[in-house]
């Protein structure tokens, strides 16, 4: 996207013109465009850096910090024995070979907005291990929602919205309330005093409650395993929320942008920080041509050894660096005391901390109790020897909140058809499925199903929903306790207050990265670590910042085209 395109994006709608334009911000960026391979300015580096947490956010932060400060000593603390956090790929022997089970995140989305991860894949030498799922494959195109007692295929693109597709969907009742789309522009704008609300409430107010319960709740199960009546519309439907704020209507904003023939690409409001990141990615990341071409025709990608190949390779690279020390089985926390003008920050480390250890800069990827609650998900991987267990092809299906209890007493959130979604990880033929259970349905539970209960629940789900009577040859049950942060109503306000408090207390010597502050996707976490490396380099680490400027200064959004940034998937 050229700056000229970005800046010459007049819309017909008078109100859209009132949104601040990008000129001053971009002029600044052009004058001072960072180089691709930056090096820290001489004599300006923190001598000792600590990274708290050894999941993908911590590993990637340590990786980019080691590049930004070639002279600093970096210590990564992880309380578990193993690194990698929630990303775990396990190979299991079966008759005739082996199969790979993913117990957490399993694939990555390509697209420019996620190029930091793609660049990392390149730098770690992983391109030859990449497995692509083409955009044209059934796994990318066929996605289903279970409602009320059957799978309903969703259109994968606008041109798939045909009369017969809509008729099929509407006989199940899943499209109840769809006519509200036409009336939305006439619906009153939001009351001035409403500062945030749940996704359920926002969609009901602007469209129809049935759309919230039947469609949106399924999508948010697939990403957050969360409850749309608790998750924040301002945070998770941010563009729609802003459009309503600017124009009094979500559709007017989208339609106005689409209909403006002078603009090649859709113009929507963007958080100014995201525009800055987008520009940096565009200016700095140059992917290998062949890799970039493969990514452009793929809907997702992963690795032959599973997604854990990424965190394993990061670990190997960090261990090879003699300036990086990794301490596993070693919890660490920041001493609860204000930091003086030039630091240091003191850490309490080890199971029974004694003398605090001083560090010049600390990156925390650990959960902060004041910011979000978490949900617990049970992941049940099933393997059947028969390759023809499924009668549908596709990615899998999601289960909305509205389906009757008797259709989902196990409280499943969705089922992934793994052997369809990714090919090339297993040496044995057969069918692999993953059943996800729990999430917000288990809020407040003191205990959870055990392994044998989990597998019985998963078998019962696939028997009822997919008619699968076969017995799986093998399975793996993983309870991921408190694995996904929930950005509930009021999240942004809480994050702002947290950021102010952290800057005042630690004077910029403690920064925050991770799924609780940057988004729950692996790509979100890697991009945040990539940005951290750029923000702290040179004198940046001395600035009074805690790395949360996106939200702290994110009220006045900017108009930008989405060119170069992949549209977010509408199904998951
Ligand atoms: C362990 C369960 C997880 C659920 N959501 C996430 C995890 C780790 C995080 C997540 N899942 C998706 C996204 C969207 C953005 C993206 O980066 O692709 C995020 C942030 C989409 C997604 N949902 C499912 C899959 C296989 C994917 C692709 C990305 C990935 O591999 O994580 C299926 C799915 N995830 C969850 C449920 C309940 C579910 C149901 C079928 C929860």
């Amino acid at each position: 996207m050229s700056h000229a395109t970005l800046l010459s994006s007049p819309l017909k709608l008078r109100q859209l013109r009132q949104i601040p334009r990008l000129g001053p911000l971009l002029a600044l960026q052009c004058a001072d465009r960072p180089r691709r391979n930056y090096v820290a300015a001489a004599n300006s580096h923190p001598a000792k850096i600590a990274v708290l947490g050894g999941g993908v956010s911590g590993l990637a932060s340590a990786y980019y910090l080691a590049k930004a400060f070639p002279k600093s000593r970096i210590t990564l603390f992880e309380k578990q024995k193993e690194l990698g956090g929630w990303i775990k790929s396990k190979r299991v022997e079966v008759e005739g070979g082996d199969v790979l089970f993913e117990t957490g995140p399993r694939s990555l989305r390509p697209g420019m907005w996620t190029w930091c991860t793609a660049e990392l894949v390149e730098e770690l030498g992983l391109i030859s291990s990449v497995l692509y799922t083409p955009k044209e494959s059934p796994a990318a195109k066929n996605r289903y929602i279970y409602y009320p007692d059957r799978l309903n295929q969703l259109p994968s693109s606008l041109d798939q919205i045909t009369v017969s597709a809509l008729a099929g969907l509407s006989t199940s009742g899943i499209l109840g309330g769809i006519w509200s789309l036409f009336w939305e522009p006439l619906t009153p704008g939001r009351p001035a005093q409403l500062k945030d609300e749940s996704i359920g409430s926002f969609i009901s107010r602007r469209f129809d409650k049935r759309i919230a319960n039947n469609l949106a709740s399924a999508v948010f199960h697939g990403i957050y395993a969360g409850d749309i009546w608790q998750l924040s519309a301002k945070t998770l439907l941010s563009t729609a929320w802003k459009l309503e704020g600017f124009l009094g209507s979500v559709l007017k904003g989208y339609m106005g942008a689409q209909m403006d023939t002078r603009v090649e690409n859709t113009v929507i409001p963007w958080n100014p920080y995201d525009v800055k990141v987008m520009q940096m990615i565009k200016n700095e990341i140059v992917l290998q041509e062949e890799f970039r071409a493969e990514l452009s025709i793929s809907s997702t990608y992963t690795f032959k050894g599973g997604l854990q190949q990424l965190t394993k390779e990061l670990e190997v690279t960090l261990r090879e660096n003699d300036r990086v020390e990794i301490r596993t089985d070693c919890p660490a926390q920041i001493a609860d005391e204000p930091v003086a003008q030039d630091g240091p920050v003191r850490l309490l480390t080890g199971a029974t901390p004694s003398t605090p250890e001083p560090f010049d800069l600390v990156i925390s990827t650990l959960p902060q109790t004041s910011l979000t609650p978490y949900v617990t998900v049970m992941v049940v991987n099933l393997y059947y020897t028969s390759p023809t267990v499924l009668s549908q092809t596709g990615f899998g299906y999601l289960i909305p909140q509205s389906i009757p209890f008797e259709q989902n007493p196990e409280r499943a959130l969705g089922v992934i058809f793994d052997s369809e979604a990714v090919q090339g990880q297993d040496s044995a033929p057969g069918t692999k499925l993953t059943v996800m259970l729990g999430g917000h349905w288990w809020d407040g539970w003191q205990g959870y199903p055990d392994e044998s209960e989990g597998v019985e629940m998963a078998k019962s789900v696939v028997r009822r929903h997919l008619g699968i009577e076969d017995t799986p040859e093998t399975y793996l049950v993983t309870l991921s306790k408190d694995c996904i942060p929930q950005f509930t109503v009021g999240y942004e306000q809480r994050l702002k207050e947290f950021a102010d408090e952290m800057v005042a207390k630690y004077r910029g010597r403690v920064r925050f990265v991770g799924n609780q502050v940057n988004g729950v996707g692996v790509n979100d976490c890697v991009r945040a670590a990539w940005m951290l490396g750029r923000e702290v380099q040179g004198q940046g680490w001395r600035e009074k910042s805690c790395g949360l400027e996106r939200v702290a200064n994110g009220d006045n959004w900017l108009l930008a085209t989405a060119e170069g940034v992949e549209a977010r998937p509408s199904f998951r």
Side-chain angles (χ1 to χ4, degrees), residues 50-62:
V51 176
L52 311 186
V56 67
S57 302
L59 291 166
S61 296

Side-chain angles (χ1 to χ4, degrees), residues 104-107 109 221-225 379 395 397-398 413-416 436 484 520-521 523 572:
R106 56 205 54 230
S107 54
R109 225 149 240 294
H221 275 171
I223 301 176
Y224 299 93
V379 177
F395 169 84
Y397 67 94
L398 291 164
L413 302 158
V415 177
I416 304 159
M436 306 263 190
I484 308 182
V520 299
N523 282 315
R572 290 182 293 167

Side-chain angles (χ1 to χ4, degrees), residues 158-229:
L158 281 180
D159 57 354
Q160 276 204 357
I161 306 181
T162 58
V163 173
S164 66
L166 289 178
L169 281 170
S170 63
T171 52
S172 69
I174 198 170
L175 291 185
I178 208 75
W179 293 110
S180 63
L181 288 175
F182 296 99
W183 310 127
E184 192 269 347
L186 305 175
T187 308
R190 78 172 159 258
Q193 73 278 9
L194 193 59
K195 301 299 176 210
D196 193 1
E197 69 187 310
S198 72
I199 289 171
S201 155
F202 176 78
I203 296 178
S204 307
R205 190 167 56 72
R206 296 241 48 93
F207 301 96
D208 191 287
K209 197 171 178 177
R210 287 165 291 179
I211 296 182
N213 283 327
N214 299 348
L215 293 169
S217 71
V219 173
F220 285 91
H221 275 171
I223 301 176
Y224 299 93
D227 174 6
I228 53 157
W229 296 94

Side-chain angles (χ1 to χ4, degrees), residues 86 102-109 114 143 218-226 299-300 307 377-379 395-399 412-416 418 421 434-437 439 480 483-484 519-524 568-569 571-572:
W86 299 114
E102 293 283 9
T103 71
R106 56 205 54 230
S107 54
L108 298 165
R109 225 149 240 294
T114 69
R143 290 145 194 274
V219 173
F220 285 91
H221 275 171
I223 301 176
Y224 299 93
S299 77
T300 58
L307 203 52
V377 176
M378 181 172 264
V379 177
F395 169 84
Y397 67 94
L398 291 164
I399 306 170
L413 302 158
V415 177
I416 304 159
D418 295 290
T434 303
V435 182
M436 306 263 190
L437 304 159
S480 297
C483 63
I484 308 182
V520 299
V522 173
N523 282 315
D524 299 324
R568 292 216 160 216
F571 174 72
R572 290 182 293 167

Side-chain angles (χ1 to χ4, degrees), residues 195-203 212 216-238 241 371-375 401 413 439-440 443 484-492 494 515 520:
K195 301 299 176 210
D196 193 1
E197 69 187 310
S198 72
I199 289 171
S201 155
F202 176 78
I203 296 178
S217 71
V219 173
F220 285 91
H221 275 171
I223 301 176
Y224 299 93
D227 174 6
I228 53 157
W229 296 94
Q230 293 184 47
L231 293 170
S232 156
K234 186 178 184 193
T235 301
L236 301 178
L237 295 178
S238 51
W241 177 267
L371 286 179
T372 65
Y374 280 78
V375 291
Q401 280 176 241
L413 302 158
H440 71 94
D443 280 354
I484 308 182
Q486 301 293 294
F487 305 120
T488 50
V489 174
Y491 168 77
E492 288 197 6
R494 291 195 296 279
N515 66 2
V520 299

